[in-house]
Amino acid sequence: MDERKFIKKCKELVRNYYNDRVESTDKNGKITTEDVFVVWFCKALQNSKALLSTNVPDGMYYEVTYNGDKNECYLDAYKKWQNVCIEM
């Protein structure tokens, strides 16, 4: 799968994941693919991985992995709990 097609698919997966779980009373409502952005992307051989987030201030980020051998995508959803500064 080429990079543009993968990124498009990632944004669709995150949009669908979020919209399937958002509550009807949520003030943010449903999102579009325009509300999803790529934070990081890597392609190695036939495999790809992207980290994504949305403009919804909910602390969530998403990891989508494409396994080119099996033609499968995996979506992991994470919640950011803290950002702690550690002095070195």
Side-chain angles (χ1 to χ4, degrees):
M1 179 181 310
D2 72 28
E3 294 172 20
R4 278 186 240 134
K5 188 175 179 182
F6 175 69
I7 295 298
K8 181 179 181 207
K9 184 65 172 176
C10 288
K11 289 182 174 187
E12 291 169 357
L13 290 169
V14 170
R15 177 202 61 207
N16 294 344
Y17 180 88
Y18 179 86
N19 288 341
D20 288 346
R21 287 158 181 78
V22 69
E23 299 200 15
S24 59
T25 57
D26 191 320
K27 67 178 180 172
N28 297 308
K30 295 195 182 273
I31 62 171
T32 68
T33 54
E34 304 301 315
D35 299 313
V36 181
F37 58 92
V38 177
V39 176
W40 177 85
F41 166 78
C42 180
K43 179 167 177 53
L45 301 174
Q46 72 279 11
N47 304 309
S48 298
K49 184 178 290 270
L51 299 178
L52 305 102
S53 192
T54 70
N55 60 6
V56 178
D58 60 359
M60 292 293 295
Y61 69 98
Y62 306 88
E63 179 182 314
V64 180
T65 304
Y66 174 68
N67 181 335
D69 291 334
K70 295 182 178 182
N71 195 33
E72 295 177 336
C73 270
Y74 313 100
L75 180 129
D76 295 309
Y78 299 96
K79 177 85 170 178
K80 178 179 174 180
W81 291 105
Q82 281 186 313
N83 182 7
V84 178
C85 177
I86 304 192
E87 298 202 22
M88 303 302 276

